[in-house]
Amino acid sequence: MERSIDDTFISLYADKAKGILTEKRFLKLTDAMEKEQENNQNRMQEIAAVISEEEHSEGDVRTFMEEIKRYAAITELDETVLNRLINRILIGKPEKIDGVRTQEVRIVYNFVGEL
């Protein structure tokens, strides 16, 4: 791709030198191409960052699945299992709804966050 842009610049310069393009038109076209190239490079960096994050997330999910398989047959929830699988437990404020006491409990798991 980089070579193609260089070739286009050379071609534009040759057209300018032959008098086919005016100086003003040449500058306008080359400026537009440079901006497009910069935008493309920025977009490529954004895409690379998204791909990297997705790969990282995928690895976390795999790790979580391996941990879940490891503890699938447990009969007792002990401190070791809790520390390995759960990052934190969030307990909401108690409320009475229609005379029934309720309380929100949210669990944030290691590797995958809140499910």
Side-chain angles (χ1 to χ4, degrees):
M1 176 133 179
E2 188 74 30
R3 185 65 193 146
S4 175
I5 290 172
D6 288 343
D7 290 344
T8 304
F9 273 114
I10 291 168
S11 177
L12 285 173
Y13 186 77
D15 287 348
K16 180 186 161 290
K18 293 176 189 174
I20 297 171
L21 278 179
T22 64
E23 177 75 18
K24 185 177 179 180
R25 179 53 100 188
F26 172 76
L27 292 174
K28 192 173 190 177
L29 288 171
T30 56
D31 184 53
M33 287 178 58
E34 287 173 351
K35 286 178 183 174
E36 182 179 354
Q37 183 178 18
E38 184 178 327
N39 289 339
N40 288 342
Q41 287 173 343
N42 290 339
R43 184 68 181 133
M44 285 174 49
Q45 289 174 349
E46 291 170 4
I47 291 169
V50 167
I51 289 171
S52 176
E53 178 63 32
E54 290 296 322
E55 289 172 346
H56 178 72
S57 294
E58 184 179 327
D60 286 347
V61 169
R62 278 196 205 118
T63 303
F64 181 72
M65 294 299 292
E66 290 169 9
E67 291 297 318
I68 290 295
K69 286 177 188 175
R70 182 182 197 185
Y71 296 111
I74 64 167
T75 55
E76 183 179 316
L77 188 58
D78 61 16
E79 184 179 350
T80 303
V81 175
L82 280 174
N83 288 331
R84 191 69 189 141
L85 295 178
I86 297 175
N87 181 299
R88 64 185 176 273
I89 299 173
L90 306 168
I91 310 224
K93 179 180 168 185
E95 299 177 316
K96 271 199 176 182
I97 300 175
D98 296 327
V100 178
R101 183 178 184 266
T102 62
Q103 198 166 6
E104 181 183 25
V105 176
R106 295 171 32 209
I107 300 172
V108 181
Y109 295 91
N110 286 324
F111 313 110
V112 293
E114 190 174 341
L115 299 178

